Amino acid sequence: AQKITQTQPGMFVQEKEAVTLDCTYDTSDPSYGLFWYKQPSSGEMIFLIYQGSYDQQNATEGRYSLNFQKARKSANLVISASQLGDSAMYFCAMREGAGNQFYFGTGTSLTVIP
Amino acid sequence: GAVVSQHPSRVICKSGTSVKIECRSLDFQATTMFWYRQFPKQSLMLMATSNEGSKATYEQGVEKDKFLINHASLTLSTLTVTSAHPEDSSFYICSARARGHQAFFGQGTRLTVV
């Protein structure tokens, strides 16, 4: 089974609007971490936000927030007030327990329309 | 914050030659580094886990004699693509985990074998 599932290959959003990128995960480990990374066309992976499985509150980092629904095993990324520079690939990832390995989803290509 | 530097960012080589890619952790010690391969518009595929002072752990289907990994120090891991062929052309990216939750990624190397 896929550890991380991103069902939206591509998304479009109007500039200044909010957008939600979906991510579901699969693990039997009670301790895990969920991450979102942004990959612009240059290829670098930029860390956006982190959510720990034991965190009580949803993570927020500036315009990024993570809608963590533990029972549904979902960790959707919400980008508010989209900007043209937000156009990129977005990857959801998970790390289980104390392990080092990251499992990545297939990514969502976001295009912000002026 | 922690920084991982990867070099070169872009390389073109002739078929049959070998190419070395370096991954350095600039301000932290990384006992474990990871090497990923990414095809266009696809997710990151873990190739191998590089362990300082010991042999790398390769994922299933990755040829260890083709993709040589050396982790000679706590700040440097290298990936050598030996006897490169056009099908080895891809984007290669390394990551390392500092203390804390997230992994930091290098800038990636775009390899083109002609």
Side-chain angles (χ1 to χ4, degrees), chain A residues 25-67:
Chain A
Y25 59 92
D26 183 33
T27 182
S28 57
D29 196 321
S31 174
Y32 52 89
L34 298 159
F35 305 77
W36 277 92
Y37 287 87
K38 172 185 178 181
Q39 187 180 41
S41 57
S42 58
E44 60 186 310
M45 293 286 282
I46 302 168
F47 167 74
L48 296 179
I49 197 166
Y50 165 81
Q51 179 85 43
S53 59
Y54 295 120
D55 293 343
Q56 295 295 316
Q57 294 186 327
N58 287 345
T60 60
E61 288 286 348
R63 294 186 298 111
Y64 305 109
S65 61
L66 201 150
N67 184 1

Side-chain angles (χ1 to χ4, degrees), chain A residues 81-99:
Chain A
S82 297
Q83 301 172 356
L84 295 178
D86 294 335
S87 294
M89 282 290 290
Y90 288 81
F91 290 95
C92 179
M94 177 176 67
R95 181 176 53 80
E96 294 175 308

Side-chain angles (χ1 to χ4, degrees), chain B residues 22-78:
Chain B
E22 293 187 348
C23 181
R24 293 181 184 274
S25 56
L26 296 184
D27 56 0
F28 66 100
Q29 293 183 334
T31 54
T32 304
M33 290 186 176
F34 303 90
W35 288 96
Y36 295 87
R37 182 173 181 175
Q38 186 181 28
F39 291 102
K41 300 189 187 300
Q42 295 190 25
S43 187
L44 281 72
M45 180 189 76
L46 180 66
M47 298 174 65
T49 303
S50 171
N51 304 298
E52 188 269 335
S54 65
K55 291 182 178 179
T57 304
Y58 289 81
E59 295 298 302
Q60 193 172 10
V62 178
E63 299 175 60
K64 58 181 69 175
D65 294 331
K66 174 98 178 138
F67 299 99
L68 299 179
I69 291 172
N70 184 277
H71 197 148
S73 75
L74 286 171
T75 60
L76 174 64
S77 175
T78 60

Side-chain angles (χ1 to χ4, degrees), chain B residues 73-91:
Chain B
S73 75
L74 286 171
T75 60
L76 174 64
S77 175
T78 60
L79 167 68
T80 302
V81 183
T82 62
S83 187
H85 287 100
E87 57 264 32
D88 298 325
S89 298
S90 191
F91 187 71

